[in-house]
Amino acid sequence: MRALRLPHLSSLRAFEHPGYLAVWLGALISNIGTWMETVAMGVYVTQETGRAEWTGGIVALAFLPSVILSPLGGALADRFDRRVYVALGIAVQLVLAAVLTVLAFIGELTVPIVGVVTLLNGCASTLTNPAFSAMLAELVPPRDLHSAMSLNSAQYNLGRIVGPLLAALVLQMGGASWALLINTLSFVASLIALSRVTLPSRDTPRTKESLWAGITRGISVAREDEDISRVLWGTLFVAALVAPFIGLVPVFAINVFGQGAAATSLLVACQGAGAVVAAVVVGTLADALGHRKLLGFAAMSIGVVSALYWMSPTLTVAAAVIFVLGANYLTLMSGLHAFATSRVPRDMQARVSSLYSMVLGGGYAAGVWALGALADRVGVRFVTVTASVIFLALVLTLRLLSPRSFDDSRA
């Protein structure tokens, strides 16, 4: 595959590398299918149970394994051929998707089964994601790492746009089983893309240290680097207090606005559209403003935008605000991820990326379940707006105590 000739925009530089472009396209197709499944199962669980706690709990199961397995996935990714390792993880996810599809077609699908398959899929994804992120870093030069991370988030969010729209159509015409079938087939695209990629040789030989030693060394590197530690703490607070807006979209659409699958798909797609727009310009903004200053602005604004989203009086207003929230969220999270990863050598990037995934996944799992459970008792708007305000207060406190945290003049 040839590299694309694109306008001179630093955010798009990663597309100039053909290996990255091939993996990006394969992942996009796969994520379209994944988002079709996500919407279909979110609507199914919400309608079957009628409770936000169940919806949030099922979503949490996909991310809960990251608390334990992310460091292991990072250490494994730095020991084996990353392309083969990622392909194995995708194959496992394909099998799990096929199981869910068969059960749906024969009428044996239940909420507990959805929970079990979601947990197993979360395990496979958690073990694979650090290797995938590190593989992307190997496919581009260091100067294009922020572009690669942002565009990777863009393809994920393009899937968030196309997948829900297709899901709404498929759910109306054929039901959840057909959405699950499309998701199963979509994993093949990623496997084909990986078969066409050759990774560059490592600059350093693969380590002979034990697996546990590799995990602990990655944790030590992150703990000793003040900036990486600050990124991980920031990621935890965003994941627990703000990010649950993603998993609770079906609750907002169905329980608050009295709508169904179409409204859920609309909100998910609008979030994805905002994220894609942000991905196109975030690299250029980072070059112009500085990475730290851009992260500081994104962190300050996301609490406000999140609160406005949850206070939206109508579905139309919510769709407009979640567009902005999606852009804000991508800018902040892709920036945090790229910033932490760029501070370590390539042979350590998978381990640092795994710690980021562990904190993000663990915080999100706890946050989406807790907010969902509280929402059943005191109301979804009150709980989520309060969480957004708490996050804003934390950011303001950090800036008062450490005003140079996002100052690019720092070494």
Side-chain angles (χ1 to χ4, degrees):
M1 181 178 292
R2 294 183 179 181
L4 290 180
R5 294 290 183 181
L6 296 166
H8 184 69
L9 192 64
S10 59
S11 299
L12 305 178
R13 282 199 303 250
F15 279 156
E16 297 174 1
H17 308 283
Y20 178 88
L21 179 59
V23 172
W24 189 92
L25 289 172
L28 172 61
I29 295 172
S30 179
N31 275 321
I32 289 173
T34 297
W35 276 106
M36 291 184 69
E37 177 188 294
T38 298
V39 170
M41 292 299 92
V43 171
Y44 170 77
V45 172
T46 301
Q47 291 179 337
E48 285 290 308
T49 66
R51 299 191 59 176
E53 185 174 4
W54 270 99
T55 304
I58 294 295
V59 172
L61 288 174
F63 294 88
L64 195 59
S66 63
V67 178
I68 300 173
L69 297 181
S70 277
L72 176 61
L76 290 172
D78 284 331
R79 297 170 71 90
F80 302 114
D81 184 307
R82 288 169 180 164
R83 185 175 67 93
V84 176
Y85 184 82
V86 170
L88 179 61
I90 292 173
V92 171
Q93 290 175 286
L94 187 155
V95 171
L96 291 171
V99 170
L100 211 58
T101 300
V102 171
L103 291 174
F105 269 109
I106 65 176
E108 296 296 329
L109 191 64
T110 64
V111 172
I113 288 175
V114 172
V116 171
V117 174
T118 298
L119 179 63
L120 294 175
N121 192 63
C123 292
S125 179
T126 296
L127 291 172
T128 304
N129 285 341
F132 184 79
S133 296
M135 183 179 68
L136 295 182
E138 288 188 289
L139 293 172
V140 300
R143 79 182 189 111
D144 293 339
L145 181 59
H146 198 146
S147 170
M149 293 297 184
S150 297
L151 289 173
N152 182 51
S153 295
Q155 64 83 8
Y156 181 78
N157 284 283
L158 274 172
R160 193 195 299 268
I161 298 171
V162 179
L165 295 177
L166 288 177
L169 180 62
V170 172
L171 288 173
Q172 184 177 8
M173 296 179 63
S177 55
W178 288 98
L180 296 175
L181 176 61
I182 294 173
N183 176 51
T184 301
L185 297 176
S186 70
F187 285 106
V188 177
S190 287
L191 294 175
I192 293 174
L194 287 173
S195 71
R196 303 184 62 181
V197 170
T198 301
L199 296 180
S201 59
R202 302 276 183 94
D203 295 331
T204 56
R206 289 190 176 93
T207 180
K208 300 296 183 181
E209 65 186 355
S210 68
L211 191 60
W212 178 249
I215 293 173
T216 55
R217 189 158 72 93
I219 295 173
S220 296
V221 168
R223 186 175 61 246
E224 293 167 4
D225 188 300
E226 179 183 347
D227 285 319
I228 294 178
S229 296
R230 185 176 288 113
V231 163
L232 294 178
W233 277 108
T235 300
L236 176 63
F237 291 134
V238 177
L241 297 172
V242 178
F245 82 90
I246 300 170
L248 295 178
V249 162
V251 176
F252 203 34
I254 296 171
N255 293 355
V256 175
F257 293 121
Q259 303 290 323
T264 300
S265 298
L266 172 65
L267 292 176
V268 173
C270 286
Q271 180 204 337
V276 171
V277 171
V280 173
V281 301
V282 68
T284 304
L285 288 174
D287 289 343
L289 300 176
H291 290 262
R292 292 177 188 266
K293 185 176 293 186
L294 180 61
L295 285 175
F297 174 78
M300 287 285 292
S301 59
I302 197 168
V304 177
V305 178
S306 177
L308 291 174
Y309 164 69
W310 288 112
M311 291 188 294
S312 298
T314 66
L315 179 64
T316 301
V317 173
V321 179
I322 202 174
F323 175 91
V324 179
L325 183 55
N328 202 155
Y329 184 76
L330 179 135
T331 301
L332 180 58
M333 303 313 289
S334 66
L336 290 173
H337 193 187
F339 184 78
T341 306
S342 67
R343 294 190 61 82
V344 295
R346 288 200 169 191
D347 66 320
M348 291 293 297
Q349 285 177 335
R351 273 168 278 188
V352 170
S353 180
S354 73
L355 294 176
Y356 170 87
S357 297
M358 177 185 71
V359 172
L360 177 61
Y364 179 65
V368 75
W369 175 81
L371 295 187
L374 289 171
D376 285 331
R377 292 157 176 81
V378 298
V380 64
R381 289 187 191 270
F382 176 78
V383 169
T384 50
V385 170
T386 300
S388 300
V389 172
I390 290 173
F391 177 78
L392 178 60
L394 289 171
V395 174
L396 291 173
T397 301
L398 174 62
R399 290 191 70 86
L400 287 173
L401 295 177
S402 182
R404 298 186 63 198
S405 295
F406 296 102
D407 182 358
D408 281 280
S409 64
R410 294 181 59 196

